[in-house]
Amino acid sequence: MEHTPYISVIVPVYKVAGRLPACLESLRDQTFSDFECILVDDGSPDECGAICDEVAAADSRFSVIHKQNAGVSAARNAGLDVARGEYVVFLDADDEMAPRALEYAAQVQAEAPDALVWWDHTRNAEIFERGKNAPLQWERTCRAAQEPASDYTLAFIAVWNKLFAMKPIRGNGLRFDLCLGHAGLPGEDNKFSSEYLDCVYAGQNFPVAHIKLPLYHYYLNPRSLTRATPTQQVDEPDPPEPHYCARLAAEYEEKFRVAPDLLAGEPFAAACTARIYLRSLAFGIWSAAQLGEPLTRADWDTPATRAMLDFCRRERIFVPYYLPFRLGSPAFVRRFYDWDIRRAAWFYRFRLLFKLLLPGWKEPSAFKE
């Protein structure tokens, strides 16, 4: 009888040949051996397919699906279709997992079988390296207690930092929305995670097992936004997206409705939220100009924007887009974002000027990558 692995790891692969070997090596180095890895080559035009084939030939735990390009949602669904594990973990092909990540996840799930198991991440390679062999640290809590103490998006929406049980996924026919996960149409993680939590916990204040270690190295693509997926070429800027400011405002209105204390928890986690939001809003302003869309102050000067700016000022945390938005000039925000995505010298010059104008403000080390 064929052995059923405890965990299936699904990795959608597209145009990440430079980062893919490190990602796969991090899986081969896992101290927990009872897993399978399903590599889904989403029609990648570079050497990703060959890299996947080479690893699968050398390690029987790895298998490869080669398919026509259809986006990250279709790639993950293809992996779900063949996954055999009791649990599933999603890993982006340009990221890495700590050697004991699967071991710790399985151990905590066994000790808290009714809980949603999730773990911390870091964007800082040095922090990731230092923490690779740290002893297990976790706490049992609940959703209501966890939301104010963490970045809500990462704790309950991202799919790459938690264990999903396959039984409810199969029983409810859960799949990633094929209409999402493309340039201009983000939100596939949000929808899948929300549907999963609704199926498993039916809206209850469910138990949460939080592994308090950075088991996941999220590779910081300086050109990516909240909607970045592993199907994007890391050296290409995101194309402009229509009505992005309005969609971002609606998204964060919902976030604050569900988690009104979104910015009241651990300062660094909240700072990540503020940083992502302000850069995404700058992208929206830039997109409107690129597409010739009219934009008023009310389109970007929203309660969420003011909350993010007030948080940065209150905690004295430096975020590059803080002063551009405080200045209230969408034209400058647009130009600053354009310098950012082109890695122009003017971006770094103004960034340095902003730091000099905000003496004593702290900049988390991960922001400096």
Side-chain angles (χ1 to χ4, degrees):
M1 184 175 179
E2 186 178 15
H3 171 69
T4 300
Y6 187 71
I7 296 175
S8 294
V9 182
I10 297 175
V11 185
V13 180
Y14 185 75
K15 282 188 177 181
V16 287
R19 291 285 306 171
L20 182 58
C23 170
L24 300 182
E25 191 64 25
S26 78
L27 286 173
R28 298 188 71 181
D29 288 343
Q30 290 297 306
T31 56
F32 182 85
S33 61
D34 192 12
F35 76 92
E36 66 172 354
C37 177
I38 303 164
L39 304 171
V40 185
D41 170 23
D42 190 32
S44 187
D46 58 10
E47 60 268 33
C48 280
I51 294 172
C52 292
D53 288 338
E54 182 179 352
V55 170
D59 192 325
S60 62
R61 296 173 299 178
F62 290 74
S63 61
V64 186
I65 298 173
H66 296 285
K67 60 182 292 299
Q68 184 176 1
N69 176 250
V72 65
S73 291
R76 286 175 176 157
N77 288 343
L80 287 173
D81 288 339
V82 300
R84 297 178 295 122
E86 185 176 344
Y87 291 90
V88 63
V89 168
F90 296 100
L91 172 63
D92 288 354
D94 51 359
D95 297 339
E96 300 171 53
M97 299 192 77
R100 304 188 74 173
L102 297 183
E103 175 192 340
Y104 286 165
Q107 180 179 337
V108 171
Q109 189 70 79
E111 295 182 31
D114 60 335
L116 174 73
V117 175
W118 79 283
W119 47 87
D120 288 337
H121 80 291
T122 181
R123 293 175 169 86
N124 187 297
E126 293 182 4
I127 292 175
F128 182 68
E129 286 296 323
R130 290 199 301 267
K132 277 186 174 180
N133 296 307
L136 177 60
Q137 304 172 42
W138 72 282
E139 65 177 351
R140 183 184 175 92
T141 179
C142 63
R143 179 172 187 163
Q146 187 78 68
E147 286 174 356
S150 62
D151 184 327
Y152 174 81
T153 299
L154 297 178
F156 299 109
I157 292 178
V159 298
W160 39 260
N161 63 346
K162 58 180 63 68
L163 273 181
F164 292 94
M166 280 299 296
K167 186 174 181 179
I169 291 176
R170 295 190 185 101
N172 294 278
L174 296 183
R175 288 294 184 270
F176 288 87
D177 191 332
L178 295 179
C179 294
L180 303 176
H182 302 276
L185 290 169
E188 77 284 352
D189 281 25
N190 188 341
K191 186 174 182 182
F192 181 87
S193 295
S194 296
E195 291 177 349
Y196 174 85
L197 295 177
D198 287 343
C199 289
V200 176
Y201 299 108
Q204 300 174 10
N205 182 25
F206 54 82
V208 174
H210 175 204
I211 302 176
K212 303 172 72 174
L213 294 171
L215 299 180
Y216 192 99
H217 181 208
Y218 185 100
Y219 176 65
L220 186 61
N221 173 5
R223 304 184 189 279
S224 67
L225 305 173
T226 56
R227 47 148 303 280
T229 74
T231 62
Q232 286 186 282
Q233 173 75 351
V234 298
D235 59 359
E236 293 178 357
D238 295 295
E241 301 183 17
H243 313 300
Y244 190 88
C245 286
R247 297 208 312 274
L248 190 69
E251 176 186 345
Y252 275 83
E253 181 181 359
E254 175 64 12
K255 286 183 188 297
F256 277 106
R257 184 191 68 79
V258 175
D261 295 328
L262 183 64
L263 298 174
E266 195 278 318
F268 174 71
C272 289
T273 299
R275 178 182 185 239
I276 289 171
Y277 173 85
L278 291 175
R279 190 174 188 271
S280 298
L281 186 57
F283 168 76
I285 293 173
W286 174 84
S287 290
Q290 296 292 309
L291 299 173
E293 295 177 351
L295 201 65
T296 67
R297 186 181 183 95
D299 292 320
W300 58 269
D301 188 6
T302 65
T305 303
R306 291 189 289 274
M308 301 295 176
L309 296 176
D310 290 345
F311 163 80
C312 293
R313 181 177 59 187
R314 182 175 66 253
E315 299 292 335
R316 295 173 66 82
I317 290 180
F318 176 75
V319 173
Y321 282 89
Y322 171 81
L323 276 180
F325 276 104
R326 277 295 188 206
L327 293 172
S329 170
F332 181 72
V333 169
R334 180 173 67 246
R335 177 162 293 185
F336 190 64
Y337 178 79
D338 185 68
W339 290 334
D340 186 357
I341 62 173
R342 291 190 290 109
R343 316 307 291 168
W346 282 108
F347 172 77
Y348 298 100
R349 291 168 182 166
F350 272 95
R351 191 178 189 276
L352 177 60
L353 174 62
F354 296 156
K355 291 194 72 173
L356 294 174
L357 292 173
L358 299 169
W361 285 41
K362 305 177 294 292
E363 182 179 20
S365 59
F367 288 12
K368 301 174 185 178
E369 296 182 47

